[in-house]
Amino acid sequence: MLVKLIASDLDGTLLTDDKKISEKTRRMISLAAAQGIQIVPATGRAFSSVPEEVLALPGVEYVITSNGAAIYSVSQGKRIYSCPLEAASVEKILEMDEIASMNEERSALTIEGFIDGVPYSEVSYLKNPGKYGATGFGIGYVRRTRTPVQDIRSFLWEHKDELDSLSVVSADFPLLAHCKTEMEKTIPSIQTTSSVPHLLEIVHARSGKGNTLSYLLDTLGIVPKEAAAFGDAYNDLDMIRLVKYGIAVRNAVEACKLAAYLVTGSNEEDGVAEAIRQIL
């Protein structure tokens, strides 16, 4: 394999279940970087939520964040590319009946937004993330990484020109599916995806990990047949399809496995490390 760039999702792929990088994975990434291979984390997380140990990995200069809404330069500490949501799209989302009534006691969903690498969520959500589907690590992660606001819908309306992405959060999966169907039917300038079942993640139609990775490859003069990409969830699917060496970890959703060039071990089995070893 002639590989010049390796992109990888974080949660459920590069990171173990306790959100760490195993020593074997760290060692293989170091070997790849020593051979001049660029390592590009590609995540649904906002930039401020990317672990420092990921940013400090050898070979990491660029980070794709917010499901492709932005690229950040680690050395410069700033974003170098963005594809934010259109204000008109944000308005239509916030005007949906399910979103407009989200503060009613019977509401089973909430919404959050990413602005310039920072995630914002409503105070009531941060008090009880489990009500909306967060479990285990996710509860602490949400509370640590989100900036609280009192009225998230009003806040997002005020900042509708600045949003990298939006997420609808709910443990009511049929409700999320309904929101997804309605959005895709009425708002053509967006695309929706999901990294975990209780999140409906919304970005610009020209965004997504695959489109943004394609932009980065073009910028670096690398063609897709010279790149590899790792993933486990639906928001990784277009990235896996883009490159020649799209690789799914064993714990990935079936769609990723079917699209992949290779299925490697799970995130708990050093699957990324094993596939990098094969690449090298």
Side-chain angles (χ1 to χ4, degrees), residues 178-213:
H178 170 74
C179 290
K180 175 182 172 68
T181 299
E182 288 301 306
M183 288 179 190
E184 292 178 345
K185 183 169 62 177
T186 60
I187 314 174
S189 58
I190 65 167
Q191 63 168 297
T192 64
T193 188
S194 180
S195 56
V196 289
H198 67 282
L199 285 184
L200 175 63
E201 297 160 89
I202 307 150
V203 294
H204 194 285
R206 295 195 304 271
S207 187
K209 292 185 184 182
N211 286 338
T212 302
L213 177 58

Side-chain angles (χ1 to χ4, degrees), residues 74-85:
V74 175
S75 63
Q76 298 178 57
K78 66 178 185 180
R79 78 166 62 195
I80 58 171
Y81 169 82
S82 65
C83 186
L85 287 163

Side-chain angles (χ1 to χ4, degrees), residues 171-180:
D172 186 337
F173 301 154
L175 177 60
L176 279 186
H178 170 74
C179 290
K180 175 182 172 68

Side-chain angles (χ1 to χ4, degrees), residues 25 28 85 93 129 168 173 196 227 234 241:
T25 299
M28 284 299 166
L85 287 163
I93 291 168
V168 181
F173 301 154
V196 289
Y234 291 106
R241 288 170 172 161

Side-chain angles (χ1 to χ4, degrees), residues 243-264:
V243 300
K244 181 175 181 179
Y245 304 111
I247 302 170
V249 286
R250 185 170 289 124
N251 52 292
V253 296
E254 193 64 22
C256 284
K257 293 178 182 178
L258 291 173
Y261 169 88
L262 171 72
V263 176
T264 186

